Amino acid sequence: MFILVLNSGSSSIKYKLFNISGKGEMLLDKGAVERIGQKVPTHREALAVILDKLHSRIDAVGHRVVHGGKFREATLVDKEVIKEISRFSEAVPLHNPAAVMTITESMKLISRVPHVTVFDTAFYQTMPERAYLYAIPYRYHEKYRVRKYGFHGTSHRYITRQAARILKKSIDRVNLITCHLGNGCSITAVEKGKAVDTSMGFTPLEGLIMGTRSGDIDPAIIPYIMEKEGMDMNAAMEMLNKKSGLLGISGVSNDMREIIKAARSSKRARLALDMFVYRIKKYIGAYLGVLGKVDAVVFTGGIGENQAGLMKKISGGVLPKNSKTLIIPTDEELMIARDTYSLVS
Ligand code: ADP
């Protein structure tokens, strides 16, 4: 079965084409159309460019969706799916509106084949209430569905499966702490193969220190700085999402390679790196407490996959002797293709 996986952002669509059957999985092609809005006018034209390039039969399409609200697993697209994705557009304004555009346009351009949505949030629907609720008045949860949703779930789910295979354990018997460290960073506690807690929250802003996101912060700091600086809510959100994290502390870059280079001469780059590592250690310690017993800490993402030494140092300081440190390259698109295959076939 030829499966096209589409991963759309506000100004780009990335794609991979797989051939998946009962016998195996093969990546046939991959690429991206970038600068939508400049180079190509809209997501529709970007899709046309991709289809032109591929020139292939397509039997099904798998869509990555960042925020899937209530959905617990991959789902065939229908009106209710589109409604739920649109409902969470405010929480992830760079991702969900783009996904809706790509889904609706691709259903017109690649018609008569099943379209499947795979949600980053789905992996976290197994978290218990005590982990996903915020201790604010309960009515906001009831009225607006404010809760921890978690993100990067497709990546955490993929590395959980891979880790179980490497550890030679069945998935429902592994306890893991999985760390996705890329531009965005998140960490998840996995008990018997299921997510029981994660660092990202109602939006991807919570948790670890990221390239440009602050991660955890005392919420009272926000109105305090807004008042001092005469900032409105949009500017405050922009500050926390785009100007904080490694970039905000170092003043050098949001890119870990640059931070590592600059750390030789810049005190603030060293501080950014130090804070980044410290926050991860704190979360690993907390999730050890949540899980009790941990088979392995798993690292992935651009930083996790390329800084093995640093990752071993991070986990080595916190982990009990009998837990392993694993570095596993992630493949969210393959996971989406697998989900699409199993739903459609
Ligand atoms: P995304 O989250 O956008 O998918 P990636 O997973 O590719 O991004 O991660 C990007 C991050 O990985 C950047 O901070 C980048 O600096 C970092 N990175 C990539 N290669 C290396 C490397 N060799 N050493 C350290 N960091 C790296």
Side-chain angles (χ1 to χ4, degrees), residues 154-193:
T154 308
S155 173
H156 287 276
R157 187 156 57 94
Y158 177 81
I159 60 172
T160 294
R161 290 187 176 200
Q162 297 297 102
R165 218 174 274 173
I166 292 167
L167 295 166
K168 297 193 169 64
K169 280 191 140 186
S170 78
I171 188 111
D172 51 4
R173 293 190 57 205
V174 280
N175 278 15
L176 302 169
I177 297 174
T178 53
C179 312
H180 178 109
L181 308 176
N183 278 315
C185 299
S186 62
I187 178 164
T188 297
V190 176
E191 185 172 44
K192 298 181 176 159

Side-chain angles (χ1 to χ4, degrees), residues 1-5 16-20 28 57-62 336-338 340-342 344:
M1 185 182 288
F2 287 67
I3 298 174
L4 176 64
V5 175
K16 281 189 184 174
L17 180 70
F18 294 93
N19 184 2
I20 298 201
L28 301 175
R57 192 183 96 203
I58 293 168
D59 302 313
V61 185
I336 293 168
R338 283 178 185 169
T340 303
Y341 178 76
S342 44
V344 168

